[in-house]
mmCIF file of all heavy atoms in Angstrom:
data_model
loop_
_atom_site.group_PDB
_atom_site.id
_atom_site.type_symbol
_atom_site.label_atom_id
_atom_site.label_comp_id
_atom_site.label_asym_id
_atom_site.label_seq_id
_atom_site.Cartn_x
_atom_site.Cartn_y
_atom_site.Cartn_z
ATOM 1 N N ALA A 20 -3.830 -3.349 5.851
ATOM 2 C CA ALA A 20 -4.988 -3.098 5.018
ATOM 3 C C ALA A 20 -6.059 -2.364 5.739
ATOM 4 O O ALA A 20 -6.707 -1.463 5.151
ATOM 5 C CB ALA A 20 -5.477 -4.422 4.352
ATOM 6 N N ALA A 21 -6.394 -2.834 6.987
ATOM 7 C CA ALA A 21 -7.416 -2.185 7.721
ATOM 8 C C ALA A 21 -7.104 -0.733 8.057
ATOM 9 O O ALA A 21 -7.980 0.139 8.032
ATOM 10 C CB ALA A 21 -7.620 -2.986 8.948
ATOM 11 N N ARG A 22 -5.838 -0.413 8.290
ATOM 12 C CA ARG A 22 -5.501 0.922 8.615
ATOM 13 C C ARG A 22 -5.648 1.844 7.340
ATOM 14 O O ARG A 22 -6.109 2.936 7.465
ATOM 15 C CB ARG A 22 -4.006 1.005 9.071
ATOM 16 C CG ARG A 22 -3.479 2.432 9.328
ATOM 17 C CD ARG A 22 -4.285 3.037 10.496
ATOM 18 N NE ARG A 22 -3.869 4.428 10.651
ATOM 19 C CZ ARG A 22 -4.681 5.460 10.956
ATOM 20 N NH1 ARG A 22 -5.920 5.172 11.251
ATOM 21 N NH2 ARG A 22 -4.154 6.639 11.075
ATOM 22 N N LEU A 23 -5.273 1.277 6.204
ATOM 23 C CA LEU A 23 -5.533 2.061 4.934
ATOM 24 C C LEU A 23 -7.014 2.288 4.697
ATOM 25 O O LEU A 23 -7.409 3.352 4.234
ATOM 26 C CB LEU A 23 -4.899 1.346 3.833
ATOM 27 C CG LEU A 23 -3.417 1.775 3.466
ATOM 28 C CD1 LEU A 23 -2.509 1.595 4.604
ATOM 29 C CD2 LEU A 23 -2.937 1.173 2.219
ATOM 30 N N GLU A 24 -7.853 1.234 5.036
ATOM 31 C CA GLU A 24 -9.287 1.379 4.953
ATOM 32 C C GLU A 24 -9.846 2.541 5.881
ATOM 33 O O GLU A 24 -10.675 3.295 5.487
ATOM 34 C CB GLU A 24 -10.022 0.088 5.129
ATOM 35 C CG GLU A 24 -9.771 -0.924 4.119
ATOM 36 C CD GLU A 24 -10.476 -2.306 4.464
ATOM 37 O OE1 GLU A 24 -11.164 -2.483 5.406
ATOM 38 O OE2 GLU A 24 -10.068 -3.262 3.761
ATOM 39 N N GLN A 25 -9.238 2.532 7.104
ATOM 40 C CA GLN A 25 -9.641 3.602 7.979
ATOM 41 C C GLN A 25 -9.380 5.055 7.500
ATOM 42 O O GLN A 25 -10.137 5.930 7.568
ATOM 43 C CB GLN A 25 -8.911 3.457 9.366
ATOM 44 C CG GLN A 25 -9.400 2.260 10.181
ATOM 45 C CD GLN A 25 -8.464 2.093 11.458
ATOM 46 O OE1 GLN A 25 -7.388 2.657 11.532
ATOM 47 N NE2 GLN A 25 -8.930 1.387 12.410
ATOM 48 N N LEU A 26 -8.142 5.138 6.884
ATOM 49 C CA LEU A 26 -7.689 6.407 6.385
ATOM 50 C C LEU A 26 -8.565 6.809 5.175
ATOM 51 O O LEU A 26 -9.000 7.957 5.071
ATOM 52 C CB LEU A 26 -6.185 6.393 5.976
ATOM 53 C CG LEU A 26 -5.256 6.242 7.140
ATOM 54 C CD1 LEU A 26 -3.926 5.891 6.682
ATOM 55 C CD2 LEU A 26 -5.275 7.559 7.947
ATOM 56 N N ALA A 27 -8.908 5.825 4.370
ATOM 57 C CA ALA A 27 -9.776 6.061 3.084
ATOM 58 C C ALA A 27 -11.149 6.490 3.628
ATOM 59 O O ALA A 27 -11.777 7.392 3.052
ATOM 60 C CB ALA A 27 -9.820 4.862 2.281
ATOM 61 N N ALA A 28 -11.640 5.836 4.595
ATOM 62 C CA ALA A 28 -13.037 6.153 5.147
ATOM 63 C C ALA A 28 -13.023 7.565 5.678
ATOM 64 O O ALA A 28 -14.064 8.193 5.688
ATOM 65 C CB ALA A 28 -13.422 5.159 6.219
ATOM 66 N N ALA A 29 -11.851 8.083 6.212
ATOM 67 C CA ALA A 29 -11.703 9.440 6.697
ATOM 68 C C ALA A 29 -11.500 10.422 5.562
ATOM 69 O O ALA A 29 -11.261 11.678 5.821
ATOM 70 C CB ALA A 29 -10.667 9.498 7.763
ATOM 71 N N GLY A 30 -11.520 9.971 4.345
ATOM 72 C CA GLY A 30 -11.393 10.882 3.232
ATOM 73 C C GLY A 30 -9.995 11.071 2.747
ATOM 74 O O GLY A 30 -9.606 11.954 2.028
ATOM 75 N N ARG A 31 -9.073 10.293 3.295
ATOM 76 C CA ARG A 31 -7.617 10.403 2.920
ATOM 77 C C ARG A 31 -7.307 9.574 1.748
ATOM 78 O O ARG A 31 -7.797 8.457 1.458
ATOM 79 C CB ARG A 31 -6.794 9.896 4.107
ATOM 80 C CG ARG A 31 -7.028 10.523 5.381
ATOM 81 C CD ARG A 31 -6.942 11.985 5.486
ATOM 82 N NE ARG A 31 -5.698 12.535 5.179
ATOM 83 C CZ ARG A 31 -4.728 12.798 6.185
ATOM 84 N NH1 ARG A 31 -4.978 12.580 7.396
ATOM 85 N NH2 ARG A 31 -3.607 13.311 5.792
ATOM 86 N N ARG A 32 -6.359 10.123 0.933
ATOM 87 C CA ARG A 32 -5.905 9.369 -0.216
ATOM 88 C C ARG A 32 -4.448 8.963 0.121
ATOM 89 O O ARG A 32 -3.528 9.753 0.120
ATOM 90 C CB ARG A 32 -5.956 10.270 -1.512
ATOM 91 C CG ARG A 32 -7.328 10.642 -1.892
ATOM 92 C CD ARG A 32 -7.394 11.360 -3.158
ATOM 93 N NE ARG A 32 -6.749 12.673 -2.920
ATOM 94 C CZ ARG A 32 -6.516 13.582 -3.800
ATOM 95 N NH1 ARG A 32 -6.994 13.488 -5.038
ATOM 96 N NH2 ARG A 32 -5.929 14.782 -3.520
ATOM 97 N N VAL A 33 -4.242 7.588 0.261
ATOM 98 C CA VAL A 33 -3.092 7.127 0.826
ATOM 99 C C VAL A 33 -2.078 6.678 -0.275
ATOM 100 O O VAL A 33 -2.507 5.971 -1.109
ATOM 101 C CB VAL A 33 -3.251 5.922 1.801
ATOM 102 C CG1 VAL A 33 -2.022 5.390 2.336
ATOM 103 C CG2 VAL A 33 -4.118 6.446 2.954
ATOM 104 N N LEU A 34 -0.857 7.135 -0.087
ATOM 105 C CA LEU A 34 0.233 6.686 -0.941
ATOM 106 C C LEU A 34 1.020 5.696 -0.024
ATOM 107 O O LEU A 34 1.502 6.030 1.022
ATOM 108 C CB LEU A 34 1.159 7.789 -1.376
ATOM 109 C CG LEU A 34 2.458 7.316 -1.991
ATOM 110 C CD1 LEU A 34 2.291 7.084 -3.545
ATOM 111 C CD2 LEU A 34 3.637 8.296 -1.758
ATOM 112 N N MET A 35 1.044 4.389 -0.434
ATOM 113 C CA MET A 35 1.714 3.359 0.341
ATOM 114 C C MET A 35 2.939 2.923 -0.388
ATOM 115 O O MET A 35 2.980 2.788 -1.615
ATOM 116 C CB MET A 35 0.674 2.104 0.433
ATOM 117 C CG MET A 35 1.332 0.909 0.938
ATOM 118 S SD MET A 35 1.370 0.780 2.642
ATOM 119 C CE MET A 35 2.081 -0.727 2.993
ATOM 120 N N VAL A 36 4.045 2.929 0.454
ATOM 121 C CA VAL A 36 5.216 2.421 -0.107
ATOM 122 C C VAL A 36 5.600 1.130 0.732
ATOM 123 O O VAL A 36 5.626 1.145 1.939
ATOM 124 C CB VAL A 36 6.425 3.424 -0.027
ATOM 125 C CG1 VAL A 36 7.716 2.828 -0.491
ATOM 126 C CG2 VAL A 36 6.089 4.712 -0.747
ATOM 127 N N GLY A 37 5.795 0.032 0.014
ATOM 128 C CA GLY A 37 6.036 -1.227 0.748
ATOM 129 C C GLY A 37 6.932 -2.186 -0.127
ATOM 130 O O GLY A 37 6.927 -2.063 -1.335
ATOM 131 N N ASP A 38 7.663 -2.957 0.516
ATOM 132 C CA ASP A 38 8.592 -3.889 -0.160
ATOM 133 C C ASP A 38 8.459 -5.321 0.294
ATOM 134 O O ASP A 38 9.047 -6.264 -0.351
ATOM 135 C CB ASP A 38 9.958 -3.480 0.029
ATOM 136 C CG ASP A 38 10.437 -3.538 1.492
ATOM 137 O OD1 ASP A 38 9.648 -3.801 2.366
ATOM 138 O OD2 ASP A 38 11.691 -3.424 1.687
ATOM 139 N N GLY A 39 7.666 -5.691 1.341
ATOM 140 C CA GLY A 39 7.642 -6.972 1.871
ATOM 141 C C GLY A 39 6.459 -7.786 1.378
ATOM 142 O O GLY A 39 5.513 -7.219 0.844
ATOM 143 N N LEU A 40 6.526 -9.106 1.654
ATOM 144 C CA LEU A 40 5.469 -9.979 1.247
ATOM 145 C C LEU A 40 4.217 -9.593 2.010
ATOM 146 O O LEU A 40 3.121 -9.593 1.431
ATOM 147 C CB LEU A 40 5.844 -11.368 1.699
ATOM 148 C CG LEU A 40 4.816 -12.463 1.311
ATOM 149 C CD1 LEU A 40 4.685 -12.603 -0.152
ATOM 150 C CD2 LEU A 40 5.409 -13.853 1.864
ATOM 151 N N ASN A 41 4.303 -9.148 3.248
ATOM 152 C CA ASN A 41 3.098 -8.753 4.064
ATOM 153 C C ASN A 41 2.601 -7.356 3.768
ATOM 154 O O ASN A 41 1.584 -6.925 4.244
ATOM 155 C CB ASN A 41 3.393 -8.873 5.533
ATOM 156 C CG ASN A 41 4.444 -7.831 6.034
ATOM 157 O OD1 ASN A 41 5.163 -7.227 5.165
ATOM 158 N ND2 ASN A 41 4.653 -7.768 7.302
ATOM 159 N N ASP A 42 3.225 -6.651 2.739
ATOM 160 C CA ASP A 42 2.734 -5.404 2.336
ATOM 161 C C ASP A 42 1.758 -5.431 1.232
ATOM 162 O O ASP A 42 1.055 -4.556 0.828
ATOM 163 C CB ASP A 42 3.938 -4.516 1.936
ATOM 164 C CG ASP A 42 4.780 -4.084 3.124
ATOM 165 O OD1 ASP A 42 4.174 -3.925 4.221
ATOM 166 O OD2 ASP A 42 5.975 -3.880 2.854
ATOM 167 N N ALA A 43 1.739 -6.612 0.477
ATOM 168 C CA ALA A 43 0.961 -6.673 -0.722
ATOM 169 C C ALA A 43 -0.526 -6.412 -0.652
ATOM 170 O O ALA A 43 -1.010 -5.626 -1.419
ATOM 171 C CB ALA A 43 1.181 -8.129 -1.368
ATOM 172 N N PRO A 44 -1.165 -6.941 0.459
ATOM 173 C CA PRO A 44 -2.672 -6.462 0.509
ATOM 174 C C PRO A 44 -2.844 -5.001 0.709
ATOM 175 O O PRO A 44 -3.731 -4.393 0.058
ATOM 176 C CB PRO A 44 -3.148 -7.256 1.743
ATOM 177 C CG PRO A 44 -2.149 -8.445 1.827
ATOM 178 C CD PRO A 44 -0.875 -7.835 1.405
ATOM 179 N N ALA A 45 -2.050 -4.368 1.461
ATOM 180 C CA ALA A 45 -2.094 -2.880 1.699
ATOM 181 C C ALA A 45 -1.720 -2.157 0.445
ATOM 182 O O ALA A 45 -2.414 -1.115 0.064
ATOM 183 C CB ALA A 45 -1.232 -2.422 2.849
ATOM 184 N N LEU A 46 -0.690 -2.617 -0.295
ATOM 185 C CA LEU A 46 -0.351 -1.962 -1.532
ATOM 186 C C LEU A 46 -1.508 -1.951 -2.558
ATOM 187 O O LEU A 46 -1.804 -1.050 -3.200
ATOM 188 C CB LEU A 46 0.951 -2.656 -2.168
ATOM 189 C CG LEU A 46 2.244 -2.363 -1.453
ATOM 190 C CD1 LEU A 46 3.291 -3.282 -1.895
ATOM 191 C CD2 LEU A 46 2.672 -0.940 -1.661
ATOM 192 N N ALA A 47 -2.114 -3.172 -2.612
ATOM 193 C CA ALA A 47 -3.255 -3.360 -3.455
ATOM 194 C C ALA A 47 -4.520 -2.449 -3.132
ATOM 195 O O ALA A 47 -5.220 -1.980 -4.039
ATOM 196 C CB ALA A 47 -3.778 -4.834 -3.601
ATOM 197 N N GLY A 48 -4.601 -2.169 -1.832
ATOM 198 C CA GLY A 48 -5.734 -1.391 -1.462
ATOM 199 C C GLY A 48 -5.566 0.136 -1.234
ATOM 200 O O GLY A 48 -6.437 0.793 -1.043
ATOM 201 N N ALA A 49 -4.328 0.406 -1.443
ATOM 202 C CA ALA A 49 -3.992 1.961 -1.291
ATOM 203 C C ALA A 49 -4.510 2.742 -2.518
ATOM 204 O O ALA A 49 -4.689 2.144 -3.574
ATOM 205 C CB ALA A 49 -2.453 2.076 -1.134
ATOM 206 N N TYR A 50 -4.704 3.987 -2.254
ATOM 207 C CA TYR A 50 -5.053 4.855 -3.404
ATOM 208 C C TYR A 50 -4.021 4.882 -4.524
ATOM 209 O O TYR A 50 -4.310 4.815 -5.716
ATOM 210 C CB TYR A 50 -5.290 6.300 -2.830
ATOM 211 C CG TYR A 50 -5.849 7.267 -3.789
ATOM 212 C CD1 TYR A 50 -7.216 7.296 -4.105
ATOM 213 C CD2 TYR A 50 -5.086 8.217 -4.477
ATOM 214 C CE1 TYR A 50 -7.741 8.224 -4.967
ATOM 215 C CE2 TYR A 50 -5.519 9.105 -5.413
ATOM 216 C CZ TYR A 50 -6.882 9.083 -5.542
ATOM 217 O OH TYR A 50 -7.443 10.040 -6.502
ATOM 218 N N VAL A 51 -2.803 4.987 -4.064
ATOM 219 C CA VAL A 51 -1.633 4.882 -4.969
ATOM 220 C C VAL A 51 -0.589 4.004 -4.194
ATOM 221 O O VAL A 51 -0.370 4.308 -3.017
ATOM 222 C CB VAL A 51 -0.966 6.239 -5.321
ATOM 223 C CG1 VAL A 51 0.280 6.065 -6.099
ATOM 224 C CG2 VAL A 51 -1.910 7.152 -5.897
ATOM 225 N N SER A 52 0.132 3.143 -4.861
ATOM 226 C CA SER A 52 1.181 2.358 -4.190
ATOM 227 C C SER A 52 2.438 2.229 -5.059
ATOM 228 O O SER A 52 2.354 2.140 -6.206
ATOM 229 C CB SER A 52 0.557 1.001 -3.809
ATOM 230 O OG SER A 52 0.127 0.293 -5.044
ATOM 231 N N LEU A 53 3.510 2.203 -4.275
ATOM 232 C CA LEU A 53 4.874 2.089 -4.876
ATOM 233 C C LEU A 53 5.602 1.010 -4.195
ATOM 234 O O LEU A 53 5.478 0.750 -2.932
ATOM 235 C CB LEU A 53 5.631 3.397 -4.690
ATOM 236 C CG LEU A 53 4.960 4.676 -5.282
ATOM 237 C CD1 LEU A 53 5.773 5.896 -4.817
ATOM 238 C CD2 LEU A 53 4.779 4.586 -6.801
ATOM 239 N N SER A 54 6.513 0.402 -4.944
ATOM 240 C CA SER A 54 7.417 -0.643 -4.432
ATOM 241 C C SER A 54 8.794 -0.460 -5.092
ATOM 242 O O SER A 54 8.852 -0.230 -6.265
ATOM 243 C CB SER A 54 6.778 -2.054 -4.733
ATOM 244 O OG SER A 54 7.516 -3.020 -4.063
ATOM 245 N N PRO A 55 9.837 -0.694 -4.343
ATOM 246 C CA PRO A 55 11.162 -0.625 -4.961
ATOM 247 C C PRO A 55 11.394 -1.921 -5.851
ATOM 248 O O PRO A 55 10.795 -2.986 -5.548
ATOM 249 C CB PRO A 55 12.037 -0.579 -3.748
ATOM 250 C CG PRO A 55 11.314 -1.169 -2.621
ATOM 251 C CD PRO A 55 9.831 -0.898 -2.911
ATOM 252 N N ALA A 56 12.309 -1.840 -6.747
ATOM 253 C CA ALA A 56 12.574 -2.982 -7.591
ATOM 254 C C ALA A 56 13.186 -4.086 -6.859
ATOM 255 O O ALA A 56 13.138 -5.297 -7.271
ATOM 256 C CB ALA A 56 13.528 -2.446 -8.700
ATOM 257 N N SER A 57 13.708 -3.823 -5.699
ATOM 258 C CA SER A 57 14.362 -4.890 -4.823
ATOM 259 C C SER A 57 13.276 -5.542 -3.991
ATOM 260 O O SER A 57 13.660 -6.470 -3.180
ATOM 261 C CB SER A 57 15.463 -4.274 -3.929
ATOM 262 O OG SER A 57 14.822 -3.223 -3.104
ATOM 263 N N ALA A 58 12.068 -5.202 -4.098
ATOM 264 C CA ALA A 58 11.018 -5.755 -3.238
ATOM 265 C C ALA A 58 10.597 -7.148 -3.630
ATOM 266 O O ALA A 58 10.899 -7.617 -4.766
ATOM 267 C CB ALA A 58 9.763 -4.822 -3.269
ATOM 268 N N ALA A 59 9.845 -7.788 -2.799
ATOM 269 C CA ALA A 59 9.282 -9.139 -3.118
ATOM 270 C C ALA A 59 8.377 -9.050 -4.392
ATOM 271 O O ALA A 59 7.760 -8.000 -4.626
ATOM 272 C CB ALA A 59 8.535 -9.673 -1.901
ATOM 273 N N ASP A 60 8.474 -10.065 -5.223
ATOM 274 C CA ASP A 60 7.707 -10.028 -6.409
ATOM 275 C C ASP A 60 6.282 -9.709 -6.242
ATOM 276 O O ASP A 60 5.641 -8.977 -7.005
ATOM 277 C CB ASP A 60 7.819 -11.394 -7.150
ATOM 278 C CG ASP A 60 9.174 -11.561 -7.745
ATOM 279 O OD1 ASP A 60 9.942 -10.560 -7.982
ATOM 280 O OD2 ASP A 60 9.591 -12.703 -8.082
ATOM 281 N N VAL A 61 5.629 -10.294 -5.159
ATOM 282 C CA VAL A 61 4.188 -10.067 -4.998
ATOM 283 C C VAL A 61 3.926 -8.596 -4.570
ATOM 284 O O VAL A 61 2.947 -8.030 -5.002
ATOM 285 C CB VAL A 61 3.683 -11.037 -3.830
ATOM 286 C CG1 VAL A 61 4.204 -10.625 -2.469
ATOM 287 C CG2 VAL A 61 2.160 -11.041 -3.746
ATOM 288 N N SER A 62 4.925 -7.925 -3.910
ATOM 289 C CA SER A 62 4.758 -6.504 -3.662
ATOM 290 C C SER A 62 4.866 -5.641 -4.882
ATOM 291 O O SER A 62 4.022 -4.666 -5.081
ATOM 292 C CB SER A 62 5.795 -6.068 -2.597
ATOM 293 O OG SER A 62 5.536 -6.566 -1.321
ATOM 294 N N GLN A 63 5.796 -6.065 -5.726
ATOM 295 C CA GLN A 63 5.865 -5.357 -7.007
ATOM 296 C C GLN A 63 4.657 -5.413 -7.878
ATOM 297 O O GLN A 63 4.221 -4.501 -8.441
ATOM 298 C CB GLN A 63 7.170 -5.836 -7.797
ATOM 299 C CG GLN A 63 8.419 -5.382 -7.195
ATOM 300 C CD GLN A 63 9.618 -5.888 -8.027
ATOM 301 O OE1 GLN A 63 9.592 -5.855 -9.284
ATOM 302 N NE2 GLN A 63 10.585 -6.368 -7.336
ATOM 303 N N THR A 64 4.060 -6.633 -7.876
ATOM 304 C CA THR A 64 2.820 -6.845 -8.641
ATOM 305 C C THR A 64 1.723 -6.233 -8.118
ATOM 306 O O THR A 64 0.867 -5.688 -8.800
ATOM 307 C CB THR A 64 2.631 -8.434 -8.594
ATOM 308 O OG1 THR A 64 3.683 -9.136 -9.230
ATOM 309 C CG2 THR A 64 1.351 -8.748 -9.452
#
C-alpha cells in the first residue's frame, strides 16, 4: 500500500493486479485494481 501511495504521489495512476489476502489493502488503494476469480474473497471484494 505504501508503494502504491509513493507512485500516486509521483503522479502515477497504478493498475494493481492481486490475488492474495495480503494484496487487499493495495488493491483498495490503487487507482484501478483487478483480481482473478480464483483469488481470495477479500481480494475480489
Side-chain angles (χ1 to χ4, degrees):
R22 178 64 183 144
L23 268 60
E24 287 174 14
Q25 288 173 345
L26 292 167
R31 308 303 298 269
R32 293 183 297 178
V33 176
L34 169 89
M35 167 84 178
V36 179
D38 66 349
L40 183 65
N41 65 351
D42 292 326
L46 288 166
Y50 186 79
V51 176
S52 58
L53 304 172
S54 187
S57 59
D60 288 342
V61 69
S62 292
Q63 290 182 40
T64 301

